[in-house]
Amino acid sequence: EQKIKRNYALLLEHVNEEPLNGYAWFQLGLTLGQMGLVKEAEDAIKFAINCGNLSDTIYSSSATALAQFAGNRRDFNESLRWAEASLEKAPNQIFTLTLKGFALLHLGRKVEAREALQSALNLSRSSLTTMTTQSSGFDIVINESIILKGLEAADK
């Protein structure tokens, strides 16, 4: 908690000094999310994207974070939109494909949900046996049972 508070203070100082530094806003958004300030986190990350100077990797990470936030508040249309934006920049993300699959599942689009979740499962299984290069700014490990649960729901 102390580290998060320290980072928050440093990041506030950074965005005040460089108000159009998208990466600093992205980091501030992640820190706000860790603090449980979800609305503020989303606003900071959206601002980071709007700065227009994020690398594809950080843009992808930003969009995935927004997809997760939207899914958590059950706005599955927005979650899907952000997941797809992330996957445009980095298509082989297991976590983001899973977010997309669950958003589609909640929207009643089971065939598409199954495709996204099967892709996530295939990538998950292939990454267990081979070294893969991450194409986003983070590596989130997701339990395969979550993907399988989604696939089961898509098949019903």
Side-chain angles (χ1 to χ4, degrees):
E1 191 174 314
Q2 287 296 86
K3 183 179 175 183
I4 292 169
K5 286 180 182 179
R6 179 202 56 154
N7 288 350
Y8 174 70
L10 291 171
L11 288 163
L12 276 181
E13 186 177 315
H14 194 165
V15 298
N16 282 326
E17 289 173 6
E18 295 181 63
L20 296 179
N21 183 322
Y23 183 73
W25 280 100
F26 165 71
Q27 289 296 330
L28 178 60
L30 293 182
T31 300
L32 289 164
Q34 290 176 319
M35 296 169 69
L37 301 169
V38 177
K39 170 75 170 103
E40 293 84 352
E42 286 185 76
D43 290 345
I45 293 172
K46 286 177 182 175
F47 189 83
I49 288 171
N50 289 332
C51 285
N53 55 15
L54 297 178
S55 68
D56 284 353
T57 300
I58 300 303
Y59 178 92
S60 177
S61 298
S62 298
T64 294
L66 292 171
Q68 185 176 15
F69 288 140
N72 287 345
R73 68 170 189 282
R74 305 193 62 79
D75 185 343
F76 299 111
N77 283 309
E78 185 171 345
S79 180
L80 176 60
R81 183 173 67 83
W82 284 114
E84 288 177 336
S86 178
L87 291 165
E88 282 178 25
K89 302 282 185 183
N92 294 324
Q93 301 174 74
I94 298 165
F95 182 67
T96 309
L97 282 164
T98 303
L99 289 174
K100 177 181 178 178
F102 275 97
L104 288 163
L105 193 60
H106 285 285
L107 293 169
R109 296 163 59 182
K110 290 185 175 187
V111 172
E112 294 167 275
R114 183 169 220 315
E115 290 173 10
L117 291 164
Q118 188 63 56
S119 292
L121 182 63
N122 293 345
L123 284 168
S124 176
R125 289 181 173 168
S126 72
S127 70
L128 294 176
T129 57
T130 61
M131 292 295 288
T132 59
T133 302
Q134 289 300 314
S135 54
S136 66
F138 56 90
D139 181 13
I140 296 177
V141 177
I142 185 163
N143 190 313
E144 191 175 285
S145 67
I146 294 169
I147 301 169
L148 292 171
K149 182 179 175 183
L151 282 168
E152 183 180 312
D155 288 339
K156 287 184 181 177

